[in-house]
Amino acid sequence: MLDKFGGFRQLLEATPEKIISTPGIGIAKFAQLRATLELTERYLRAGFNRGEAITDPGLTRRYLKCKLGHYRREVFACMFLDNQHRLISYEELFFGTIDGASVHPREVVKRTLDNNAAAVIFAHNHPSGIAEPSQADQRITDRLKSALLLIDVRVLDHMIIGEGEVLSFAERGLL
């Protein structure tokens, strides 16, 4: 199936009709495939139980890749954290096209206040599969940091999800 669809990502993005049209795959096998994806997501989410601080960048990468890696358009998300860096909420805030999404600092600030967050981690995907940050990515990160600084909220990272890697602004010294 991976060969037929051109890889795992394409398999997950395929319509139910295309998957079911594969010889030997019926509705039951399709349901199993989707259940496997759901279980994987739940497993990764379990690493962010309310009582545990986010301290593992690798787990954060895997979680965000699972959440954003399958989109064929750009999606901007935010992990809202409390003072101890425990996950309060993960929210996908802005949906764009294949090469960009409009991110509005006012809305990010509003959602941050609504969640009573003390810190945030931004994330978005690059449907092209290349995780390198653009100048627009750097500009919006700087604007968001400035806006959140006014309300004493720390920006811990901005991660870009590509095909095979997740780039961290913090690790690159871009924050």
Side-chain angles (χ1 to χ4, degrees), residues 57 61 121-122 131 133 156-161 165-175:
R61 279 183 164 84
I121 296 173
F122 303 128
L156 302 180
D157 208 340
H158 183 163
M159 294 188 168
I160 300 175
I161 290 73
E165 71 171 311
V166 178
L167 180 133
S168 164
F169 274 51
E171 288 178 0
R172 280 267 185 104
L174 299 173
L175 282 181

Side-chain angles (χ1 to χ4, degrees), residues 1-3 20 25 29 39 41-42 59 65 71 73 90 94 99 104 116 119 130 136 140 146 148 151 153:
M1 285 187 72
L2 293 176
D3 288 339
I20 292 171
I25 303 297
K29 288 287 183 196
L39 287 172
E41 187 173 320
R42 288 181 186 198
L59 180 61
K65 189 167 180 116
Y71 284 113
R73 63 180 177 160
Y90 164 87
F94 305 103
D99 62 353
H104 305 281
N116 199 29
I130 300 167
I140 195 59
S146 296
L148 292 171
I151 58 169
V153 173

Side-chain angles (χ1 to χ4, degrees), residues 36-52:
T36 300
L37 178 62
E38 177 65 23
L39 287 172
T40 301
E41 187 173 320
R42 288 181 186 198
Y43 169 76
L44 291 170
R45 193 172 37 233
F48 297 112
N49 290 330
R50 177 65 183 179
E52 301 171 24

Side-chain angles (χ1 to χ4, degrees), residues 46-64:
F48 297 112
N49 290 330
R50 177 65 183 179
E52 301 171 24
I54 296 175
T55 57
D56 182 352
L59 180 61
T60 305
R61 279 183 164 84
R62 289 189 301 275
Y63 176 77
L64 291 170

Side-chain angles (χ1 to χ4, degrees), residues 1-7 10-11 17-23:
M1 285 187 72
L2 293 176
D3 288 339
K4 176 184 176 179
F5 288 94
Q10 292 82 355
L11 173 62
E17 294 79 23
K18 283 186 179 178
I19 294 173
I20 292 171
S21 72
T22 303

Side-chain angles (χ1 to χ4, degrees), residues 79-83 85 112 117-121 152-156:
M79 295 175 74
F80 299 102
L81 311 172
D82 68 13
N83 232 5
H85 298 169
T112 302
V120 295
I121 296 173
D152 295 324
V153 173
R154 295 178 307 282
V155 175
L156 302 180

